[in-house]
Amino acid sequence: MTVPVFLSQELDGPELTLSGPEGRHAASVRRLRAGERVDLTDGAGSVAECVVRAALKDSLRLDVLRRYEVEPPEPRLVVVQGLPKGDRGELAVEMMTEAGVDVIVPWAASRSITQWKGDKVAKGLHRWRSTAREAGKQARRFHLPEVTEPATTAQVEKLLAGAALGLVLHEEAAEPLSGVALPASGDIVVVVGPEGGVSEQELAGFRAAKAVPVLLGPTVLRTSTAGVAAASVLLARTGRW
């Protein structure tokens, strides 16, 4: 079986205690027992391979077998996700996290049906970040994806301008995503529009920021699945898969 992964900021020393929500889940929900293997990570590349010494009511006492560092992957994949409606945003975040996307940028596009305003910003970010955290553990990721603050269109343009390669998924693009030349390092930034798509004004601004419009196959994908489909193509082509 796959060794379960839990998050912890305490990774030093020959013995560790996994407590708090993570320890409670490990001991009470997963029911891990003495002798079983677990991995702890801080979500930023540090890993402690451990074996359970004792399982308490809401924590685990662990013996550390070894520690190591996992280097961040290159090139880094950043997906700018136009805000989808309903809970499809969390679905998009979950799938992109499982696939290996490094940074997810919520984008309030002009055609987004959902708009995060007022207290919806904090609630939306909490849902997306919680989803990324849990999906990252399930996928045994030792570098959890970053879910940034919501970006305006102007901020997305700046992000594209500073990228090693900027791409915009667009149904009228002539160049297929599978044929674009990819950099070996730096950031690949992919913009995924909302249900209504990317407006002509937004597309013009992205083009001015050096982004390349690309076609993702002959069919029309929902915004919640377009990001993971594009990530799959890019991760395979860069050799990260």
Side-chain angles (χ1 to χ4, degrees):
M1 289 182 62
T2 301
V3 175
V5 172
F6 297 95
L7 294 174
S8 175
Q9 297 303 311
E10 297 296 330
L11 300 178
D12 294 331
E15 301 174 8
L16 297 172
T17 298
L18 182 65
S19 57
E22 293 286 281
R24 191 174 304 112
H25 181 78
S28 301
V29 180
R30 296 294 298 266
R31 296 186 180 276
L32 296 173
R33 294 297 179 256
E36 294 190 82
R37 278 269 292 107
V38 299
D39 286 344
L40 301 188
T41 180
D42 61 359
S46 296
V47 184
E49 290 185 355
C50 304
V51 63
V52 179
R53 171 189 286 187
L56 307 179
K57 181 179 180 181
D58 57 1
S59 64
L60 298 180
R61 290 179 181 169
L62 308 169
D63 290 326
V64 178
L65 301 177
R66 74 174 182 123
R67 291 182 181 79
Y68 61 94
E69 295 289 328
V70 177
E71 292 296 320
E74 285 282 348
R76 198 169 70 147
L77 183 55
V78 180
V79 175
V80 177
Q81 175 66 60
L83 296 179
K85 59 185 178 182
D87 60 359
R88 298 196 73 84
E90 288 94 289
L91 175 62
V93 170
E94 180 179 58
M95 292 191 295
M96 288 191 288
T97 297
E98 291 174 357
V101 171
D102 302 294
V103 182
I104 300 170
V105 182
W107 171 41
S110 63
R111 293 178 178 174
S112 289
I113 297 172
T114 296
Q115 294 289 337
W116 290 354
K117 296 180 179 179
D119 60 355
K120 288 186 177 181
V121 176
K123 290 179 180 178
L125 275 177
H126 176 73
R127 290 195 303 269
W128 281 33
R129 287 170 174 168
S130 296
T131 298
R133 173 188 172 96
E134 294 307 312
K137 290 193 299 180
Q138 186 69 29
R140 287 185 52 81
R141 286 188 59 168
F142 298 131
H143 285 275
L144 294 184
E146 175 190 1
V147 178
T148 73
E149 294 289 320
T152 63
T153 298
Q155 289 171 325
V156 174
E157 291 174 359
K158 185 176 181 180
L159 189 64
L160 289 166
L165 175 65
L167 302 169
V168 182
L169 302 185
H170 198 272
E171 65 277 8
E172 295 180 2
E175 187 169 8
L177 176 61
S178 59
V180 177
L182 303 180
S185 61
D187 285 356
I188 299 175
V189 179
V190 183
V191 177
V192 180
E195 283 86 357
V198 178
S199 72
E200 289 302 317
Q201 184 177 4
E202 289 166 340
L203 184 60
F206 296 157
R207 283 180 181 273
K210 303 185 302 180
V212 180
V214 290
L215 185 65
L216 185 60
T219 59
V220 177
L221 278 68
R222 298 192 68 163
T223 183
S224 54
T225 53
V228 71
S232 300
V233 174
L234 294 168
L235 290 168
R237 291 192 58 218
T238 57
R240 284 183 50 179
W241 274 15

